[in-house]
Amino acid sequence: MYKTYLAKKVDRKVCGLADPAWAKAQVQTIEEYPWKNESRPYSPEKVEFRVLHDGRNLYVRFDTWEEEVRATYTVPNDPVCRDSCVEFFFQPDNADPRYLSFEINPLGTLLIGLGSGIPDIAYLPDDRNQFNIETYREDHHWQGCYEIPETFMRKFYNDLSPVIRGNFMKCADDSAKPHHGCWSKIDMPHPAFHVPQFFGTITLEQD
């Protein structure tokens, strides 16, 4: 069954991991590991995510506990899925089949894609400063948050829907214990995240 999430509304911008506004957010976890098997038996201890919005901008946060925090890639649009990585894919406009994919590692390196699925994903070179990225890491735990400005989304979409579709994912392709997890279960024989037919529903709380 496809998952549902309520992104709570706040009355101001959310600034960084220490912002008390995160306490208002609904906390959900990535618990589906459809490709876990005898050769890849590992899944992280816990992966939490939160989403807030202020009527214009989205704010996304992940908190991850895993055995190896791998962090090597530093250039925007590097293949951060090979590191410890959390991903948020979403369709801002229900009338447009294209979705945005945000993938981030513990160094705050962000890969951003736009398209309707493989192989038509285009990777976007936009200035990363606009996303106000912040990360923190220690031995077996890391956090990351970023802003997705309305001005950025409006570059690609005519409208921003109050109920959108999306998914949250966790991976680490080149870690000692590779894994692939998702919030809304993906029914594919092999690891695949660019499959919008399995997106869940994200409702943006209104006034």
Side-chain angles (χ1 to χ4, degrees), residues 66 68-75 78-85 104-109 135-139 141-143 170-172 174-176:
E66 58 187 303
E68 179 194 5
V69 178
R70 177 185 167 89
T72 62
Y73 290 100
T74 59
V75 177
D78 269 354
V80 292
C81 62
R82 298 178 184 175
D83 282 341
S84 297
C85 178
I104 193 169
N105 72 359
L107 298 175
T109 305
T135 59
Y136 168 80
R137 61 175 170 143
E138 49 194 355
D139 285 348
H141 172 231
W142 67 281
Q143 302 168 288
K170 172 70 180 75
C171 60
D174 287 350
S175 73

Side-chain angles (χ1 to χ4, degrees), residues 147-204:
E147 174 184 344
I148 305 176
E150 180 187 35
T151 52
F152 170 77
M153 293 183 280
R154 291 264 183 209
K155 289 175 58 178
F156 312 106
Y157 298 94
N158 295 323
D159 193 21
L160 302 179
S161 302
V163 179
I164 63 179
R165 299 178 63 250
N167 209 349
F168 304 84
M169 285 79 67
K170 172 70 180 75
C171 60
D173 290 0
D174 287 350
S175 73
K177 296 187 175 182
H179 53 272
H180 296 85
C182 48
W183 167 66
S184 185
K185 187 175 181 180
I186 297 170
D187 186 13
M188 298 288 285
H190 305 289
F193 288 167
H194 288 271
V195 280
Q197 63 267 39
F198 298 106
F199 284 179
T201 300
I202 302 165
T203 300
L204 305 182

Side-chain angles (χ1 to χ4, degrees), residues 88-156:
F88 174 43
F89 291 15
F90 69 107
Q91 286 178 275
D93 181 354
N94 289 327
D96 190 325
R98 298 174 304 161
Y99 57 88
L100 285 163
S101 56
F102 277 69
E103 308 178 22
I104 193 169
N105 72 359
L107 298 175
T109 305
L110 193 60
L111 181 152
I112 306 174
L114 173 69
S116 57
I118 299 296
D120 79 333
I121 302 298
Y123 293 104
L124 306 178
D126 299 65
D127 181 8
R128 280 0 188 209
N129 289 326
Q130 68 183 302
F131 302 111
N132 296 317
I133 302 162
E134 183 179 337
T135 59
Y136 168 80
R137 61 175 170 143
E138 49 194 355
D139 285 348
H140 303 295
H141 172 231
W142 67 281
Q143 302 168 288
C145 69
Y146 51 86
E147 174 184 344
I148 305 176
E150 180 187 35
T151 52
F152 170 77
M153 293 183 280
R154 291 264 183 209
K155 289 175 58 178
F156 312 106

Side-chain angles (χ1 to χ4, degrees), residues 8 11 29 39 61 68 82 87 118 141:
K8 295 294 190 72
D11 59 6
T29 55
S39 63
R61 172 175 173 160
E68 179 194 5
R82 298 178 184 175
E87 308 188 3
I118 299 296
H141 172 231

